[in-house]
Amino acid sequence: ILDAHFRQLPVHVDVRAVEWHSRVRARGLDQNFAALSTMPRAAPSEMRAFAGEYLMDVLYYLQPSYGQLILDEVAGQMNARYAAYMREHPGFRGGVSIVGHSLGSIIV
């Protein structure tokens, strides 16, 4: 799309993803909410998966200590990606945009 419609504009898009979910969960935090994430076997497996993957993330984020852990993880990864970009493009003097999706839009 950029080449087709914005050929004359000096635009460069570089997407660098931040994936905090698996790193935070790898620290064993799931154990703290194990009782909340268990649903009766009668519940559809999709519902159990949704609760385990998404609702638990909101519960993590709303707890002050876990929310701070998530913020620290995201900030650390963002700073590392920015530093890597600046090493790769030492003359860069442009702006940086940050976009989050779902809970990530609240985190950033």
Side-chain angles (χ1 to χ4, degrees):
I1 291 177
L2 289 174
D3 287 339
H5 298 287
F6 301 103
R7 207 172 285 232
Q8 288 76 25
L9 294 176
V11 174
H12 175 78
V13 176
D14 189 337
V15 177
R16 308 229 173 173
V18 171
E19 196 284 309
W20 60 269
H21 186 262
S22 62
R23 289 182 185 222
V24 169
R25 287 199 167 190
R27 297 179 187 187
L29 297 180
D30 278 336
Q31 297 168 12
N32 296 314
F33 288 107
L36 295 174
S37 66
T38 58
M39 296 182 80
R41 283 293 197 205
S45 61
E46 295 84 10
M47 185 179 289
R48 287 194 309 272
F50 178 81
E53 288 298 314
Y54 301 105
L55 297 179
M56 295 305 292
D57 291 343
V58 173
L59 292 174
Y60 282 139
Y61 187 71
L62 293 175
Q63 296 296 314
S65 59
Y66 301 136
Q68 189 60 52
L69 183 64
I70 292 170
L71 291 173
D72 292 345
E73 179 66 33
V74 170
Q77 287 190 42
M78 289 174 68
N79 287 334
R81 282 164 177 70
Y82 180 76
Y85 186 87
M86 294 306 290
R87 282 192 304 276
E88 296 165 11
H89 305 90
F92 177 73
R93 299 288 177 259
V96 174
S97 296
I98 299 171
V99 178
H101 169 69
S102 191
L103 181 57
S105 64
I106 296 171
I107 294 170
V108 299

